[in-house]
Amino acid sequence: MVAFGKKLRESQIQEWQGYYLDYKLMKKKLNRYTQQIEVGTQNRHLVLKDFSILLDSEIEKIVMFLLQQQGVLASKLLNLGEQYDSVLQQVDEAKIPELQEAYRSVGRDLLRILSFVEMNAIGLRKILKKFDKRFGYRFTDYYVKTRANHPYSQLRQVCKQVGVGAVVGAISRNLADLQDFQQHYGNYISIYDQPAFSHPDPVLDSIRAAVNRLSNSTSFLHYLGKHALLMGDDLQSPSEDHADDGRYHFMSLLLNLANTFLYMINTYIIVPTADNYSMTLGAAATVCGVVIGSMAVAQVFSSVYFSAWSNRSYMRPLVFSSIILLVGNTLYALAYDLNSISVLLIGRLFCGLGSARAVNRRYISDCVPLKLRMQASAGFVSAGALGMACGPALACLLQTNFKIYKLTFNEDTLPGWIMALAWLIYLLWLSISFKEPSHVTTENIVPRESNSGKIVNISVENGPTQPLLSNSKAKQKYGDGDTDCDDAEEDPAEIQKPVNSIVSAYRLLTPSVKVQLYIYFMLKYAMEIVLAESSVITGYYFIWSTSSVAIFLACLGLTVLPVNVVVGSYISNMFEERQVLLASEILVCIGILLSFHVLIPYSVPQYVSSALITFVSAEVLEGVNLSLLSRVMSSRLSRGTYNGGLLSTEAGTLARVIADGTITLAGFWGESKLLNTTLVPALFICVSSIVATCFTYNSLY
């Protein structure tokens, strides 16, 4: 692995070297602080003051140079504007190509500035993270809060590229106008009037991509892809991407997406009928919580072994998954004629043991080229969302009852038979079309930090949260400041590979990461309560039929993609992700509060509107939560068995298990108290997640 400090030097624009963040100097400072604190010659408050002054000085240097370069570009654009007016007045078409090339040249200069800003922003976030991890302070929280929110903030110039937009707009407008003037002479069309007539320029595309990276602007595709929690690498080289090209196979990717789609159908196809099936086999209706949740219980374990298995193979775990799901669904269907609730639960446990979502995610992360990874990630999320909607919708179509020999086919058993057949067909397709890629042992791949780095939630006012380093071998461990080991706070031998145990993974979880995982737990808990108890609640209060419940759940599922279109294309570009995160949590809380049955008779409008608010808000929350999680999570969790995707999956699966168990336990108090009993813990978890978010809010910068 090439450490970030070395990559920073290699990526610098040579003539601007003296104006970049002095990353090496600040690393030397950290090492010196460590040694001084150990021998008692330095006070921790003086360390904070000294490092703050150094950062302020470095940021001011960057910002002053940035403003100077923006002034140079503005001067060039003014001169080009005069030439532009002259060309229009003289109607000299021969000079248009020359003028266009001049604007493109300014665009290329702007790209250099954007690259300068991006590299400094990454370096700043990394050194702040390194300070927090080295000393255990809440320094980042303090520094960002005091600097970013100040009216004369220079930090915003680095992290938010303030002022660049005007230059981007001038270049974009003039290039597009010149092109339209040339092609539609006598019928001038401005980009502000009819942007559809504008012809994209490669330089403009590059500028937009660079600005989007800096401003965290998103499109629907980009936003949706974040749900897959595939953590990106800093400065990935073209050679690394070409390595992915050799392992990529479109049909294999399609089979992974099909596996995700079928598994989500398998999860939710039984939800509308689980209560009725339980009663048919002699159990209470609320046992549906155990029936639905048993799949999630098994998934807690299957996620780990499938993630480990995918280090060696992709096809074999997918084949195993298909066989296990075929058996599980067959047992689920046979439970009716065997009149055995045990067989029913065993069948669902088998289905959970066949969950290969870890393999699907790892295939995209390891085998899909970087240029296609966002589309593949969005496809992964879309496949899951469509499967979630199709499951209940399919259950709605299975309202029949007939026998073939001694086998019964009705609304309870047909979900099992249909899914068994689907997995059999999938297994045949898999054996014919899947291509096992040349496998690289990902346990030995060295991950790098995500672009945004990681910001830890600790505050200066409260002092350290743990003792300062007291290792007598600090100089050996941290070096003399000339080394490029960017994770010097860890054993150099350990940073060469991803974590190899759940305990090691837990040690890498900072307060910010823990809060984001807790939020993910909360939203999955709230969604599972809404979905899993819907058949019991609507049957008790409104006497809904299975078809009505199925249609209601299908409609909820169908909101996923439209909501992501709105959030990804508009809301995420208007507000910061942390603002959307907090607002979504509050809306989930409001949805839960509106769901309670208190005094007045419980009505369909109250139930439907509260469920819709809770579900949609949780869906919005999931997108921004996973996006922020990928930013604050350690790079060592980007690959390997115990990766960030596995941790989030385990948190969400555990939430579903507890929610389904809560439904069954609440059934002991009777169906009349089921609703409020299950909503109380959901409300408590939601409120506590809001409080935790407020405490870590500034660390999500």
Side-chain angles (χ1 to χ4, degrees):
M1 173 189 174
V2 180
F4 174 75
K6 187 174 181 180
K7 276 203 170 187
L8 177 62
R9 290 197 302 274
E10 292 174 349
S11 304
Q12 287 177 357
I13 299 167
Q14 295 303 312
E15 60 267 33
W16 295 356
Q17 277 189 342
Y19 301 100
Y20 281 87
L21 186 80
D22 198 336
Y23 191 73
K24 187 174 182 179
L25 171 65
M26 288 190 283
K27 283 174 59 183
K28 283 184 177 181
K29 280 278 190 180
L30 294 186
N31 294 332
R32 191 174 303 139
Y33 293 150
T34 302
Q35 296 166 19
Q36 291 173 344
I37 288 173
E38 285 186 345
V39 298
T41 60
Q42 184 63 277
N43 179 279
R44 59 188 178 90
H45 293 294
L46 293 178
V47 167
L48 298 174
K49 181 180 178 181
D50 188 52
F51 198 66
S52 295
I53 293 171
L54 176 61
L55 274 178
D56 290 341
S57 175
E58 287 292 307
I59 291 172
E60 185 174 284
K61 173 187 70 177
I62 295 166
V63 170
M64 292 302 107
F65 179 74
L66 177 60
L67 293 175
Q68 181 186 60
Q69 292 302 311
Q70 288 177 0
V72 171
L73 289 191
S75 178
K76 288 182 179 180
L77 287 171
L78 283 173
N79 291 332
L80 288 175
E82 294 175 1
Q83 297 176 40
Y84 176 85
D85 292 338
S86 176
V87 168
L88 290 183
Q89 288 172 7
Q90 298 175 13
V91 196
D92 189 353
E93 291 187 69
K95 290 187 178 180
I96 289 180
E98 180 183 341
L99 192 54
Q100 285 177 317
E101 185 55 36
Y103 273 112
R104 291 191 186 100
S105 177
V106 176
R108 287 188 284 271
D109 289 341
L110 176 60
L111 281 172
R112 284 155 52 93
I113 292 179
L114 292 173
S115 172
F116 173 81
V117 175
E118 183 175 18
M119 292 302 301
N120 282 296
I122 294 171
L124 178 61
R125 287 179 176 123
K126 283 179 176 290
I127 203 66
L128 285 169
K129 176 205 70 174
K130 192 176 292 295
F131 188 99
D132 282 345
K133 290 182 72 175
R134 181 74 64 85
F135 299 111
Y137 288 120
R138 286 190 253 220
F139 179 71
T140 297
D141 189 26
Y142 157 76
Y143 192 82
V144 169
K145 182 168 60 178
T146 54
R147 269 63 174 179
N149 297 325
H150 195 276
Y152 305 132
S153 172
Q154 292 183 330
L155 183 62
R156 283 187 175 275
Q157 291 276 356
V158 179
C159 295
K160 300 294 183 184
Q161 89 289 335
V162 177
V164 172
V167 181
V168 175
I171 296 172
S172 302
R173 181 184 66 81
N174 287 292
L175 262 179
D177 286 355
L178 280 170
Q179 194 166 13
D180 282 330
F181 180 81
Q182 189 178 34
Q183 296 184 4
H184 303 280
Y185 175 64
N187 184 26
Y188 173 71
I189 301 171
S190 168
I191 63 168
Y192 296 120
D193 298 325
Q194 298 190 50
F197 283 93
S198 299
H199 302 280
D201 188 283
V203 172
L204 294 182
D205 290 340
S206 299
I207 291 173
R208 288 191 193 101
V211 170
N212 285 344
R213 284 198 306 273
L214 281 170
S215 64
N216 203 33
S217 295
T218 62
S219 63
F220 163 60
L221 185 69
H222 188 204
Y223 177 77
L224 196 63
K226 290 179 180 180
H227 287 55
L229 197 61
L230 299 178
M231 296 163 62
D233 293 342
D234 273 342
L235 310 172
Q236 182 160 347
S237 65
S239 60
E240 290 172 303
D241 197 30
H242 292 325
D244 287 333
D245 281 334
R247 310 178 73 208
Y248 174 62
H249 181 238
F250 174 74
M251 188 56 69
S252 300
L253 172 62
L254 192 61
L255 281 160
N256 272 278
L257 298 181
N259 183 282
T260 299
F261 175 69
L262 288 176
Y263 188 79
M264 292 304 288
I265 291 178
N266 211 148
T267 301
Y268 290 100
I269 193 173
I270 71 152
V271 172
T273 58
D275 59 333
N276 186 64
Y277 203 170
S278 301
M279 290 189 293
T280 301
L281 298 180
T286 51
V287 174
C288 69
V290 173
V291 174
I292 297 170
S294 55
M295 191 171 180
V297 170
Q299 191 179 345
V300 171
F301 304 99
S302 66
S303 296
V304 178
Y305 68 71
F306 271 116
S307 183
W309 200 350
S310 61
N311 290 323
R312 302 183 298 276
S313 173
Y314 297 104
M315 182 171 181
R316 287 194 291 273
L318 289 177
V319 170
F320 177 77
S321 164
S322 304
I323 293 172
I324 291 294
L325 282 157
L326 173 60
V327 172
N329 282 289
T330 302
L331 289 174
Y332 182 87
L334 289 174
Y336 187 92
D337 293 304
L338 295 174
N339 195 29
S340 172
I341 191 73
S342 299
V343 173
L344 182 75
L345 294 174
I346 291 171
R348 287 295 285 178
L349 284 170
F350 265 74
C351 290
L353 292 173
S355 171
R357 286 174 63 83
V359 180
N360 308 143
R361 183 185 280 111
R362 285 288 297 278
Y363 184 88
I364 295 173
S365 178
D366 296 344
C367 302
V368 177
L370 185 64
K371 60 180 177 288
L372 299 174
R373 200 167 296 161
M374 188 56 68
Q375 293 92 318
S377 300
F380 172 77
V381 176
S382 299
L386 289 173
M388 182 180 181
C390 288
L394 189 58
C396 182
L397 301 176
L398 302 179
Q399 306 301 305
T400 186
N401 193 343
F402 61 92
K403 274 198 170 190
I404 299 178
Y405 297 107
K406 294 184 179 180
L407 298 178
T408 303
F409 296 85
N410 58 22
E411 63 178 20
D412 296 330
T413 63
L414 274 171
W417 292 122
I418 291 293
M419 292 313 304
L421 178 62
W423 287 113
L424 177 61
I425 295 171
Y426 176 81
L427 183 59
L428 295 174
W429 182 23
L430 183 71
S431 60
I432 295 170
S433 303
F434 192 88
K435 179 183 176 182
E436 183 75 78
S438 55
H439 214 84
V440 178
T441 306
T442 54
E443 290 292 351
N444 296 323
I445 294 176
V446 182
R448 287 178 292 278
E449 301 245 358
S450 63
N451 261 2
S452 47
K454 183 176 66 167
I455 300 173
V456 183
N457 169 54
I458 307 177
S459 96
V460 141
E461 293 88 342
N462 297 332
T465 57
Q466 61 186 43
L468 294 172
L469 295 172
S470 58
N471 188 349
S472 63
K473 298 181 180 179
K475 189 168 182 177
Q476 278 184 322
K477 189 174 183 181
Y478 298 110
D480 59 4
D482 294 326
T483 170
D484 276 319
C485 177
D486 284 309
D487 286 297
E489 67 279 355
E490 298 171 12
D491 188 338
E494 288 299 313
I495 66 169
Q496 297 302 311
K497 58 184 179 180
V499 293
N500 55 12
S501 71
I502 196 71
V503 175
S504 300
Y506 182 79
R507 287 172 181 165
L508 290 174
L509 303 185
T510 63
S512 298
V513 177
K514 290 175 182 177
V515 168
Q516 294 307 308
L517 287 173
Y518 183 65
I519 291 171
Y520 192 71
F521 175 93
M522 179 275 288
L523 70 90
K524 287 297 181 183
Y525 185 95
M527 291 173 76
E528 189 69 10
I529 288 293
V530 169
L531 297 174
E533 70 178 13
S534 58
S535 57
V536 180
I537 295 299
T538 56
Y540 177 79
Y541 286 103
F542 318 127
I543 320 177
W544 279 10
S545 65
T546 299
S547 297
S548 300
V549 177
I551 292 171
F552 170 69
L553 294 178
C555 290
L556 279 183
L558 288 173
T559 63
V560 172
L561 292 181
V563 166
N564 281 297
V565 168
V566 174
V567 177
S569 300
Y570 302 103
I571 294 178
S572 63
N573 294 321
M574 296 167 61
F575 304 97
E576 293 181 16
E577 285 184 327
R578 58 181 182 171
Q579 293 174 328
V580 180
L581 181 88
L582 187 57
S584 300
E585 288 181 89
I586 293 171
L587 283 174
V588 171
C589 187
I590 291 172
I592 293 172
L593 285 171
L594 292 175
S595 298
F596 277 92
H597 179 205
V598 181
L599 301 178
I600 62 174
Y602 206 55
S603 64
V604 172
Q606 180 186 352
Y607 173 76
V608 171
S609 59
S610 60
L612 190 63
I613 292 171
T614 303
F615 187 85
V616 170
S617 302
E619 195 56 46
V620 174
L621 181 59
E622 182 174 2
V624 291
N625 168 247
L626 292 179
S627 176
L628 288 168
L629 186 58
S630 69
R631 297 221 318 257
V632 299
M633 191 171 280
S634 168
S635 62
R636 291 188 63 197
L637 297 172
S638 64
R639 289 183 184 269
T641 302
Y642 301 95
N643 54 70
L646 175 66
L647 294 179
S648 64
T649 299
E650 292 292 89
T653 304
L654 187 62
R656 291 174 52 208
V657 170
I658 295 175
D660 292 327
T662 303
I663 292 170
T664 299
L665 289 175
F668 287 108
W669 284 278
E671 293 183 19
S672 62
K673 297 182 179 179
L674 175 65
L675 180 65
N676 289 349
T677 305
T678 54
L679 289 176
V680 168
L683 181 62
F684 173 78
I685 295 170
C686 186
V687 171
S688 60
S689 75
I690 293 172
V691 173
T693 300
C694 292
F695 276 106
T696 60
Y697 188 75
N698 283 303
S699 69
L700 304 177
Y701 186 77

